[in-house]
């Protein structure tokens, strides 16, 4: 027998809306306009999307028999997926939070995004290997080549993966702590790669006698990595160490989320300005000029556009309300919000 | 006597949550947990923030006497501003949607943002005037100088202003149509400036015999302007012309919102890569090299960072849930959603 449980966000929202008197009756459905008039689904045909672990998450327990509500069912949104529409009176089939938003399962999107991230890493590595002379760690131009590879891999692809951890449907059940550790660990690896990327470019400049930190790209790139270090440290202290008071966590969380997206945006800007700058540097004396658009230029320009596509898709996934982890938010911001989740 | 009216989003959300039976009783408050136990505010002391037009927007009418609920009061959020806390039983004082989010009035923020936008335009104009030889429209380098000025003014500052029109509190009452026209008109002016900016750079290149469209900056910049033209046309046809069916408007609206933020992000990336590229071009033969960080380089690098700050603040303002225009969303996505607003 499958375990059905009330949706935490739903119950809390209803608690706020209806008050204790209404809550005296157990709230089983996240946006159940007429609980007693529901017709149970009898032996529903299995479908791939409905069988996913994510779908199971949002389903709700009813005393008997269980009605299977959509996993997209959220407070303020009625259940309008095809399978549920007949359960809900027509006048309640509304969807204010995501009206018109295309129903898209996260996991296939995530697989597509993972593929795109791998393509970005492959492109930047192929560019440096085929056209820029490959890799070394000796202060030469081959050492510089680690800079774009490590920055794209760390600050864009791994950073994006870390940002999306809480969007994984199977992270929504059970304790949050292991997922926090995974989020922090992925971000830490991303940060480590970024630091190595900085070491690569500073070592190359110092070995060649080139000044550091003069271009807009360098100012912005360093600012992005510094912001990332502050973000990681503040996140670690606030959400992973047990000593931060709950009111501080609640206050800091939206700031952390905002800077999460901002740092990714700045990383995208840094990557594109860096690729543009590198092509102007490299494609001049002795090689086909950038303005003649040799194959290297087409390839690296395409890399820049792919990085932007990857970043924009991550930002889009982060912003989609129906992919966000349902948080138990019945408690007030200044009460021990996250203590039970440590 | 002040006019009190029910909050549209609130009433609709409750409709979805409670069903017709509960809605049989008039819903006056947006998240009123215990309507009958409310103690009315007796002769409340006026305060500047509470007297703003925005505050009036969110207030709700009660039969007698009126209880003044916070303008931040939204479905799923209880009223937790200081003045209302005593009205709400402690167990219902929760704020899931914006837990921990700083209360910040939009209009002072908007004034700050307007100032920052003006500084960006002043900086890019001063850069071209003081260090790049001023302006002309004759195919010379002075003609090129219109390119950064028009792009920053159009694609960043005016575009940001157009995006924020619906965040103005006084746009929330009355018909939406005039605000749609303002939104579309500002975007059209921004697009016109961007086209002029493209004409400036193409004319300069053609006059000098420089190839067009080879750098990553040029690919990205042109893609951004083309995306913007599609966005404007689709928005005009869908939301301003009367012939688009309501289901299409409802389906397209989140896409329009998403591409609105994306195009601004791409414009920021284009500006930064363009400034970086221009400095490498300009600061070499006969002038102090970019790598020596002359005053022009410091000034233009700062311009790049200011543009990013402006863009990130606009994206942040667009994403803040409590600054979004409350929409009447009781109707289903596939029913005439916007027809009453024309």
């Amino acid at each position: 027998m499958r375990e059905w449980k009330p949706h935490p966000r739903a119950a809390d929202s209803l608690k706020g809306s209806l008050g204790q008197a209404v809550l005296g009756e157990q709230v089983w459905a996240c946006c159940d306009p007429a609980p007693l008039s529901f017709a149970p689904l009898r032996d529903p045909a299995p479908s791939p999307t409905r069988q996913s672990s994510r779908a199971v998450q949002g389903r709700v327990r009813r005393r008997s028999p269980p009605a299977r509500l959509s996993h997209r069912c959220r407070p303020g949104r009625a259940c309008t997926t095809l399978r549920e529409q007949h359960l809900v009176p027509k006048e309640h089939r509304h969807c204010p939070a995501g009206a018109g938003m295309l129903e898209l399962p996260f996991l296939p999107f995530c697989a597509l995004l993972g593929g795109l991230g791998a393509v970005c890493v492959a492109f930047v590595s192929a560019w440096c290997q085929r056209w820029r002379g490959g890799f070394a760690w000796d202060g030469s131009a081959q050492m510089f080549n680690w800079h774009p590879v490590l920055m794209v891999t760390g600050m864009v692809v791994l950073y994006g993966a870390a940002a999306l951890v809480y969007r994984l449907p199977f992270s929504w059940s059970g304790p949050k702590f292991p997922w926090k550790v995974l989020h922090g660990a992925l971000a830490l690896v991303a940060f480590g790669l970024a630091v190595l990327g900085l070491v690569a470019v500073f070592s190359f400049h110092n070995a060649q006698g080139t000044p550091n930190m003069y271009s807009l790209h360098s100012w912005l790139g360093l600012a992005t990595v510094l912001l990332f270090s502050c973000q990681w440290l503040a996140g670690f202290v606030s959400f992973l160490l047990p000593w931060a008071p709950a009111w501080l966590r609640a206050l800091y969380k939206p700031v952390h989320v905002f800077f999460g997206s901002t740092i990714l945006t700045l990383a995208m800007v840094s990557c594109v300005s860096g690729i543009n700058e590198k092509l102007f540097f490299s494609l001049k004396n002795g090689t086909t000029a950038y303005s003649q658009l040799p194959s290297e230029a087409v390839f690296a320009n395409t890399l820049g556009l792919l990085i932007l596509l990857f970043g924009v898709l991550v930002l889009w996934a982060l912003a989609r309300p129906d992919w966000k982890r349902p948080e138990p938010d019945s408690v007030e911001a200044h009460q021990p919000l996250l203590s039970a989740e440590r």
Side-chain angles (χ1 to χ4, degrees), chain A:
Chain A
M1 178 91 185
R2 188 173 284 124
E3 173 68 14
W4 299 89
K5 55 182 179 176
H7 193 288
R9 183 183 281 178
D12 294 327
S13 171
L14 285 178
K15 198 193 292 178
S17 302
L18 311 190
Q20 206 62 47
V22 178
L23 256 200
E25 298 174 27
Q26 178 67 55
V27 176
W28 293 115
C30 61
C31 43
D32 188 342
L36 298 178
S37 68
F38 264 52
L41 273 172
R42 291 184 193 281
D43 191 24
S47 86
T49 53
R50 304 287 303 152
Q51 293 301 315
S52 73
S53 61
R54 177 141 181 267
V56 171
Q57 268 303 310
R59 289 174 180 173
V60 293
R61 183 170 62 175
R62 294 171 58 82
R63 282 177 204 274
S64 169
R68 300 177 184 191
L69 294 186
S70 163
H71 63 283
R72 302 195 186 288
C73 198
R74 292 281 174 82
R77 298 184 65 196
C79 314
T80 50
T81 59
L82 286 180
R83 278 180 52 127
E84 273 71 52
Q85 285 218 347
H86 68 284
L87 294 174
V88 183
K90 194 173 266 179
E91 64 271 23
H92 300 136
R93 288 178 200 161
H94 72 101
C95 191
M101 190 171 276
L102 292 171
E103 296 268 332
L104 182 68
F106 179 75
L107 286 179
F109 170 84
C110 198
L112 178 91
L113 204 60
L116 184 58
V119 168
C120 287
V121 175
F123 258 60
V124 69
S125 307
W127 174 33
C128 295
Q129 180 65 46
R130 171 152 162 51
W131 284 285
R132 299 281 111 231
F135 302 92
W137 199 265
D138 54 3
S140 67
Q142 283 73 38
M143 183 164 185
F144 172 87
N145 288 345
W146 282 110
H147 176 67
V149 171
L150 289 169
M151 287 310 190
V152 169
T153 311
M155 291 298 296
V156 178
V157 179
L158 263 180
Y159 185 100
L164 289 174
V165 159
Y166 298 123
R167 301 304 185 277
L168 288 169
F170 31 85
S171 79
W172 293 6
S173 59
K176 197 175 177 183
F177 187 77
W179 299 100
K180 285 187 181 182
V181 172
L182 178 62
H183 175 71
L186 279 173
L188 188 62
V189 175
F191 180 70
L193 294 187
V195 170
L196 279 179
L198 288 182
V199 170
V201 67
F202 279 104
S203 303
F204 165 67
H205 281 173
N206 294 341
Q208 308 289 320
T210 310
N212 288 303
M213 298 302 305
Y214 62 89
S215 72
L216 177 53
H217 163 73
S218 64
W219 286 25
L220 175 62
L222 193 65
T224 307
V225 176
L226 287 178
L227 259 181
F228 186 17
S229 70
C230 298
Q231 169 90 341
W232 194 90
L233 265 181
F236 180 74
V237 170
S238 305
F239 301 125
L240 274 172
L241 293 186
W243 303 297
W247 64 265
L248 183 68
R249 294 178 173 215
L251 198 72
Y252 173 57
K253 194 178 168 191
V255 178
H256 188 80
V257 168
F258 167 68
F259 274 98
S261 294
T262 301
I263 291 168
L264 180 59
T265 305
L266 297 181
M268 288 154 58
V269 185
S270 304
C271 286
V272 168
S273 58
I275 293 168
N276 204 49
E277 173 180 322
K278 178 67 183 168
L279 287 171
F280 272 108
F281 268 133
S282 306
L283 297 175
K284 46 182 187 185
N285 311 323
T287 54
T288 311
Y290 192 8
S291 60
Q292 301 306 309
L293 210 60
S295 55
E296 177 183 354
V298 174
F299 192 87
N301 284 358
T302 308
L303 164 66
L305 299 184
L306 287 173
I307 289 169
L308 286 176
L309 181 63
F310 178 88
V312 164
L313 286 177
V314 170
L315 294 174
W316 178 68
L318 290 174
R320 264 183 86 98
D322 61 338
W323 283 355
K324 282 181 183 161
R325 188 184 201 271
E327 299 284 353
D329 38 23
S330 62
V331 285
E332 201 182 350
H334 297 257
Q335 285 178 353
L337 179 70
L338 304 169
S339 54
E341 293 170 359
R342 281 174 194 174

